[in-house]
Amino acid sequence: MVKDALVSLWRSKESAALADFACSGFFVAPGLILTAAHALEAGGPLWARPKVDGVSSFLITPVPSAHPSLDVVLVRIEAMPEGATCLSPILDNSLPRELVLHGYFEGASEAGQLVHPLNFDDAHKHYRLDTKQPEGHSGSALCIGEKVWGMAIRHYRDPNIHRGCALAVHQFWDWLGPLLPESAKAEPPPQWDEWVGLARSRMAQAFRPKVFEKFAPTFSRHASGLPCPLAEVLEDADPAAVGENCVEALIALARQCHDAMLDGTPALTAKERTLARKSFLDAMGSAARLCLDPAQLCAQGIDPRGKLRSILDVSAFTVTGATLAARPAPQDSWDCGDKDGIPSLKDKHTEELAYELGEGDDCKRALAAAAYRSVAGPVRTPETIDHALRRSIRGRAVSEARAGRARMLVIFRQLGQEARAELQTWVSENLGVNLLFFNRPQSDTSTLFLFTEEVLLARVYEFLSQLNQPEWNPI
């Protein structure tokens, strides 16, 4: 939790007087606190009081590591307080739509405050915020979900300018990174060429099985192992079009292969047809992710490599759109559905969980059944979730979470904080894994997509409809 990484800095070991409060800060590694450098200008000793208990004071190391030009400093304490956590950085140079400010005002911890970055002030090398935060908020963490994007440093002195100032982690990572232990290192967002290269490799792997040799009269192969239409699309990796063009090329290829099977051109066994279908699905999963901007995924707190945290708050465009972004193999979750009479793409692992708060047996059975469907992905949920099966569900869920794949996806309808906390606590205590929440924000999130999301999902539906025909699914 963000709050467990926060600290307040004081000029006295025990005083709670406003005059002795210096600024805010947060842990970025065990014993290492990031804060605003100008808060140390007054000189004299400083003590850090971690949010986890709010009482213990730790003397700051007298020789801090300051950035040579930016208003940021890394200070140390001798021991990491029990229960304290560290914030993982987001290294993204794009401007996020919104951030949550976590810090202290007049020495008291404040609830997270929503702020919006406006632009970059070239003259002063900092970002402008739409909120004029109090001076005590210098050193406060600016977060996206559970990760830190940057730090508040000060506000404009001119009383007519109601703006705050912030530094982004990417601005000072060259200085900060070498000072942190390996466990606190962060990886920058993948470059577009890396993103395309990964998709190309996965698609080539999908078309590697020998079954595709029987489709040789239908389509030719490039030296890369890809069907020529896909190889041609990927030669020009223009972000605005490459994902869309890959999706369209795969739809056309699937249709050609289907026509060939109808003609009897390739003599395929039932096993080969199933393998060809799975390979096409794997390729489409990679193509769909090419329609997402990896830098924007990072700005949303989503790891584009598909490694999910056990707790992750994601602003979802739609449920299926969210799983496109968050799953390493989204095609494993696709299911053709219907919404108000319009064919639509759904996520078959996602459950809209109906439950009543409390510890009743009905509530527990509903949650355990939802966990079973999410983690195991069965065709039919067992009528009885007994103790032995619950133990198995818990073991699988814990294993998934430890591997970075917290796959239990829940849509919630404006759950209050208490209801949400109770639901999270129950699942955590009984199943050993935290919930992955998706909600649909009011703001437009289409910037993540380089191909309009609604059109992308409709085209994937068309593709699935093609592969759901009997020729691909022999009995």
Side-chain angles (χ1 to χ4, degrees), residues 120-135:
F120 187 72
D121 187 329
D122 292 295
H124 297 95
K125 304 301 180 186
H126 60 226
Y127 288 85
R128 298 169 70 241
L129 303 176
D130 67 341
T131 301
K132 190 170 186 175
Q133 71 271 13
E135 292 186 17

Side-chain angles (χ1 to χ4, degrees), residues 90-137:
I90 295 174
L91 302 183
D92 181 29
N93 57 10
S94 61
L95 192 69
R97 289 189 310 280
E98 59 186 32
L99 299 162
V100 178
L101 179 71
H102 297 274
Y104 293 80
F105 173 56
E106 296 185 349
S109 175
E110 288 202 313
Q113 178 185 358
L114 191 66
V115 299
H116 300 86
L118 301 175
N119 59 7
F120 187 72
D121 187 329
D122 292 295
H124 297 95
K125 304 301 180 186
H126 60 226
Y127 288 85
R128 298 169 70 241
L129 303 176
D130 67 341
T131 301
K132 190 170 186 175
Q133 71 271 13
E135 292 186 17
H137 265 299

Side-chain angles (χ1 to χ4, degrees), residues 389-464:
L389 183 53
R390 186 173 295 181
R391 285 173 59 90
S392 298
I393 296 171
R394 184 183 188 281
R396 176 65 183 272
V398 171
S399 176
E400 289 286 287
R402 287 179 179 173
R405 297 188 299 268
R407 301 196 317 167
M408 188 172 183
L409 310 182
V410 178
I411 316 166
F412 64 99
R413 300 190 190 99
Q414 303 298 321
L415 285 185
Q417 289 293 330
E418 289 185 10
R420 179 174 168 179
E422 185 168 348
L423 180 60
Q424 282 185 315
T425 299
W426 188 93
V427 176
S428 176
E429 291 177 353
N430 288 272
L431 301 179
V433 64
N434 291 307
L435 292 181
L436 179 65
F437 279 103
F438 286 129
N439 70 341
R440 200 174 304 178
Q442 297 299 318
S443 59
D444 182 17
T445 56
S446 60
T447 53
L448 288 176
F449 286 85
L450 303 173
F451 181 20
T452 304
E453 181 191 6
E454 291 77 11
V455 177
L456 170 60
L457 298 180
R459 297 308 288 156
V460 173
Y461 177 92
E462 169 67 22
F463 176 76
L464 290 177

Side-chain angles (χ1 to χ4, degrees), residues 323-345:
T323 54
L324 273 177
R327 291 187 191 277
Q331 70 280 355
D332 294 340
S333 303
W334 290 337
D335 197 16
C336 291
D338 183 278
K339 183 178 181 182
D340 300 325
I342 299 174
S344 61
L345 189 64

Side-chain angles (χ1 to χ4, degrees), residues 32-33 40 44-46 59-66 73-77 175 179:
L32 297 177
I33 299 168
L40 279 65
L46 282 178
L59 183 63
I60 296 293
T61 299
V63 183
S65 301
V73 64
L74 186 69
V75 298
R76 299 174 182 270
I77 60 175
W175 159 79
L179 300 175

